[in-house]
């Protein structure tokens, strides 16, 4: 039995853009997991009907997001779960806390460890961890900063507190690397990211690039800096004349919607959890997100 859920769908998240990304990731992997084994999933009552006709899917309905951790504990305690994977944001330690619960039980976590999430989920800790090994934009310690025009007047300024990060801006191509991390690190694909004022709005998966091998090498070097990264990991990069590591995402990313592997990504994650050698073929496609 596989326990698999996505936080936006489980919590009934109201932001349409985030919810769409959640469904893209969840639906992609859910169909793949169901080809392997029965699946139990936490799904908010408002979305449960969308999945009621899926064979071999057990739905645990969620009334309120405060119920998620309680239900997760109940499932792991009372059902025979072999593998577990949650897709969730790092914000407010959501992914960290859910992973800590999974780690309390004798199941194989298909995702990253809580210790790795603690580092990779904090952009400043990530910077401190990787800055001596790869190129990454200069990043300032989080504290209160005043930002004002060089020639401003009238006492006008913007104040940012410790929840914000000030980082050097690097011009270049916005790309990402999809990896599977285990006893070995396997690059799956190099991807182009479409980013505008709305944020991440889509991409092109498994692109060709003259620096592809070098980009893979830099992403692998960065990932090796953080102990406990496991399963699917996404690394955001900016490429100009040089390769800059921007962020390490210790979780499934929306890029998987455009990623097709043979065997499936779900099967690769399970093989990886069992310390098996991975061999695979990769195809990709372009996709967009409605925001």
């Amino acid at each position: 039995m596989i326990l698999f859920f996505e936080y936006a769908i489980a919590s009934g998240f109201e932001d349409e853009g985030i919810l769409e990304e959640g469904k893209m990731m969840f639906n992609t992997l859910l169909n793949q997991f169901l080809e392997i084994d029965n699946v139990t999933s936490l799904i908010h009552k408002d979305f449960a009907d969308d999945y009621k006709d899926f064979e071999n899917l057990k739905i645990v309905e969620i009334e309120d997001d405060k119920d998620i951790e309680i239900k997760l504990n109940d499932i792991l305690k009372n059902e025979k779960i072999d593998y577990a994977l949650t897709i969730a944001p790092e914000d407010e330690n959501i992914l960290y806390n859910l992973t800590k619960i999974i780690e309390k039980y004798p199941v194989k976590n298909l995702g990253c460890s809580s210790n790795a999430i603690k580092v990779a989920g904090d952009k400043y800790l990530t910077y401190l961890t990787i800055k001596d090994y790869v190129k990454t934009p200069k990043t300032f310690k989080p504290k209160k900063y005043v930002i004002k025009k060089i020639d401003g007047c009238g006492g006008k300024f913007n104040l940012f507190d410790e929840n914000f990060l000030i980082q050097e801006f690097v011009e270049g191509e916005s790309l990402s690397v999809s990896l599977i991390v285990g006893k070995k690190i396997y690059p799956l694909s190099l991807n182009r990211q479409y980013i505008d004022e709305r944020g991440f709005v889509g991409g092109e998966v498994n692109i060709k690039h003259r620096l592809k091998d070098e980009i893979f090498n830099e992403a692998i070097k960065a990932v090796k800096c953080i102990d406990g990264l496991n399963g699917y990991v996404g690394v955001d990069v900016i490429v100009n004349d040089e390769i800059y590591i921007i962020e390490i995402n210790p979780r499934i990313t929306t890029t998987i919607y455009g990623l097709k592997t043979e065997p499936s990504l779900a099967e690769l994650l399970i093989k990886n959890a069992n310390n098996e050698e991975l061999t695979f073929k990769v195809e990709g496609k372009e996709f967009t997100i409605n925001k």
Side-chain angles (χ1 to χ4, degrees), residues 23 36 47 61 71 84-85 89 93 101 120 133-134 137-138 145 148 160 165 172 224 226 230 242 257 262 274:
K23 288 181 177 179
I36 299 169
F47 308 128
E61 287 197 21
K71 296 286 189 180
L85 178 65
N93 285 324
I101 292 172
Y133 302 94
V134 294
K138 182 173 176 58
Y145 287 99
K148 52 189 174 181
F160 292 90
L165 202 65
K224 285 181 176 179
I226 301 177
N230 178 69
E242 299 181 287
Y257 183 76
E262 179 57 45
N274 291 322

Side-chain angles (χ1 to χ4, degrees), residues 33-46:
F33 279 132
L34 285 170
E35 292 179 356
I36 299 169
D37 200 350
N38 294 338
V39 175
T40 295
S41 189
L42 304 173
I43 298 178
H44 192 270
K45 60 183 178 61
D46 290 347

Side-chain angles (χ1 to χ4, degrees), residues 118-148:
K118 198 71 173 176
V119 177
D122 183 312
K123 293 173 176 52
Y124 187 64
L125 286 181
T126 299
Y127 168 73
L128 293 179
T129 304
I130 70 174
K131 67 182 179 66
D132 294 330
Y133 302 94
V134 294
K135 285 190 175 296
T136 190
K138 182 173 176 58
T139 303
F140 296 89
K141 184 177 181 179
K143 62 179 182 179
K144 283 188 177 181
Y145 287 99
V146 170
I147 297 179
K148 52 189 174 181

Side-chain angles (χ1 to χ4, degrees), residues 152-271:
C153 59
K156 294 181 179 179
F157 65 89
N158 291 310
L159 179 65
F160 292 90
D161 63 19
E162 295 85 351
N163 292 313
F164 291 86
L165 202 65
I166 294 179
Q167 189 174 69
E168 172 192 12
F169 176 76
V170 177
E171 192 79 54
E173 294 180 89
S174 293
L175 305 176
S176 72
V177 177
S178 297
L179 305 151
I180 289 184
V181 181
K183 67 178 183 179
K184 293 184 179 180
I185 300 176
Y186 299 89
L188 293 174
S189 63
L190 177 65
N191 321 298
R192 178 163 285 109
Q193 299 193 90
Y194 301 155
I195 298 174
D196 62 19
E197 67 279 356
R198 296 168 294 173
F200 178 65
V201 293
E204 184 181 355
V205 179
N206 197 35
I207 65 170
K208 295 180 180 179
H209 196 285
R210 62 184 178 84
L211 296 176
K212 186 173 185 176
D213 290 341
E214 291 89 338
I215 295 168
F216 279 167
N217 288 338
E218 291 303 301
I220 290 170
K221 282 164 60 176
V223 164
K224 285 181 176 179
C225 293
I226 301 177
D227 292 336
L229 290 174
N230 178 69
Y232 181 97
V233 175
V235 179
D236 295 335
V237 301
I238 295 289
V239 177
N240 44 46
D241 292 334
E242 299 181 287
I243 299 163
Y244 289 83
I245 304 298
I246 305 300
E247 294 182 9
I248 298 174
N249 299 298
R251 53 176 170 77
I252 299 292
T253 66
T254 315
T255 296
I256 69 162
Y257 183 76
L259 179 69
K260 181 180 180 182
T261 63
E262 179 57 45
S264 71
L265 177 58
E267 188 172 343
L268 291 175
L269 292 174
I270 289 174
K271 286 178 178 290

Side-chain angles (χ1 to χ4, degrees), residues 36-95:
I36 299 169
D37 200 350
N38 294 338
V39 175
T40 295
S41 189
L42 304 173
I43 298 178
H44 192 270
K45 60 183 178 61
D46 290 347
F47 308 128
D49 283 349
D50 296 341
Y51 298 94
K52 65 180 181 181
D53 294 329
F54 280 61
E55 291 186 11
N56 302 320
L57 172 63
K58 178 180 178 181
I59 297 173
V60 177
E61 287 197 21
I62 301 296
E63 293 276 342
D64 185 277
D65 61 0
K66 296 181 179 63
D67 298 333
I68 292 176
E69 292 191 7
I70 297 170
K71 296 286 189 180
L72 179 58
N73 270 296
D74 287 345
I75 293 168
L76 290 166
K77 183 178 180 180
N78 298 313
E79 297 192 26
K80 189 180 183 307
I81 302 296
D82 301 299
Y83 304 98
L85 178 65
T86 179
I87 303 175
E90 298 93 328
D91 309 48
E92 299 176 356
N93 285 324
I94 293 171
L95 179 59

